[in-house]
Amino acid sequence: MVLLHCHATFPVVLAEPHFQNAINKILKNCDELIKPYEDLLEESGVEYEIRILEGSPAMNIDTVVNVEKIDLIVMGSRGVGNLEGLFLGSVAHQVLHKVQCPVFIIK
């Protein structure tokens, strides 16, 4: 199992030490988001790997699917995107149309 989280791009317009502080904050938020799922997988004895990537979630998910030969994507949907993704959420909508494997969306 691959546990994947995509974060926004790092703000390259900041100078030190603000740039490093921004990176640290983003990575801390990533760790806090991933931790409950990591704990659940540990308790269950499921083997997993963590991928934390920068940039577009839909493009990163597609890349990981192709590189890792993923059989199934399980992802949540918050439904807070634009009109096109009104019912599924924009990232879920993009992933459904981009990847070549089944996608299980949890609302």
Side-chain angles (χ1 to χ4, degrees):
M1 178 178 285
V2 176
L3 188 56
L4 173 66
H5 175 69
C6 301
H7 63 79
T9 56
F10 294 124
V12 294
V13 296
L14 296 176
E16 290 299 337
H18 304 292
F19 179 68
Q20 188 60 52
N21 290 340
I23 290 173
N24 292 344
K25 183 177 179 181
I26 289 169
L27 294 177
K28 182 177 183 255
N29 289 340
C30 292
D31 289 341
E32 290 172 356
L33 285 168
I34 293 275
K35 184 70 172 138
Y37 302 103
E38 186 177 7
D39 291 344
L40 182 63
L41 291 170
E42 286 285 333
E43 288 176 21
S44 302
V46 174
E47 292 184 29
Y48 67 95
E49 297 176 18
I50 296 174
R51 304 279 188 277
I52 297 177
L53 303 175
E54 174 184 19
S56 165
M59 286 204 291
N60 281 328
I61 290 169
D62 185 49
T63 300
V64 170
V65 164
N66 293 321
V67 170
E68 302 283 343
K69 307 291 189 245
I70 301 296
D71 297 321
L72 171 70
I73 297 171
V74 178
M75 65 184 296
S77 173
R78 296 184 311 167
V80 295
N82 59 21
L83 184 59
E84 181 179 64
L86 179 63
F87 297 108
L88 291 176
S90 61
V91 173
H93 183 80
Q94 291 172 26
V95 169
L96 277 171
H97 289 84
K98 193 167 198 59
V99 300
Q100 299 297 315
C101 72
V103 180
F104 184 76
I105 299 175
I106 301 167
K107 180 83 172 157

